[in-house]
Amino acid sequence: MGVWDLLLVGLVLLLGLCGVLVPGVPGSWLVWAAVSWWALKDPQPVAWWVLVGATVMLFLSQVVRWALPPRRLRTSGATPRMGVYAGVGAFLGFFLIPVLGAIPGFMGGVYLYERLRLGRHGEAVAALRTVMRSGGSSVLTELFTCLLIAGAWLGAVIWG
């Protein structure tokens, strides 16, 4: 697979990661489509294993999301800017503290947004709890799964 093809797959993965944070955009399906496109264009065993792993992880993610409360983020006061803070926090956390850092990064991004908006620690923590209870955990589950898939793809491209 050429460099331009890999760059396009990476861009679709990035679009899917951003799409997880935007309501109505099928972000996880864009991530899966990018990985399947890569596996079909570069039929090597590692590519197929990443595709199988991505499929299983996305299926399990959907099962977990169905068990969580439905998304009602708008009623909790979540804004698109909060989504940006949470997404950037999860992305930075994923790479700064490998893999598991996405979870505190996501929550740290929401906390930082609320702290800047409200100005006090106690109110920001209360707002973070409200956001996580009203659908933030569902978004975090989907984003974490997509970050894992993107990381597996990146690892397979670099070392595979």
Side-chain angles (χ1 to χ4, degrees):
M1 189 170 217
V3 173
W4 291 108
D5 290 334
L6 288 174
L7 184 63
L8 286 173
V9 170
L11 286 174
V12 173
L13 277 168
L14 188 60
L15 180 67
L17 287 172
C18 292
V20 168
L21 301 170
V22 178
V25 177
S28 56
W29 297 112
L30 283 172
V31 169
W32 184 83
V35 171
S36 65
W37 176 30
W38 168 69
L40 290 172
K41 291 276 283 182
D42 192 15
Q44 296 179 4
V46 70
W48 288 104
W49 282 112
V50 170
L51 178 62
V52 168
T55 304
V56 169
M57 286 176 25
L58 282 173
F59 176 73
L60 292 175
S61 168
Q62 294 299 317
V63 169
V64 169
R65 282 187 55 221
W66 288 329
L68 293 172
R71 290 186 185 182
R72 292 190 195 105
L73 289 174
R74 293 286 178 199
T75 59
S76 70
T79 63
R81 182 172 285 175
M82 179 189 292
V84 171
Y85 274 76
V88 168
F91 186 77
L92 289 175
F94 187 79
F95 289 105
L96 292 176
I97 304 170
V99 182
L100 293 178
I103 297 167
F106 181 89
M107 294 174 68
V110 173
Y111 172 80
L112 178 64
Y113 173 78
E114 293 294 346
R115 178 70 188 252
L116 292 173
R117 185 174 71 92
L118 299 172
R120 300 181 75 186
H121 171 72
E123 293 173 0
V125 170
L128 172 64
R129 283 188 194 133
T130 302
V131 167
M132 293 306 288
R133 287 181 183 149
S134 62
S137 54
S138 176
V139 174
L140 176 59
T141 301
E142 187 175 359
L143 183 61
F144 184 69
T145 303
C146 290
L147 281 170
L148 284 175
I149 293 167
W153 173 80
L154 188 62
V157 167
I158 292 174
W159 293 293

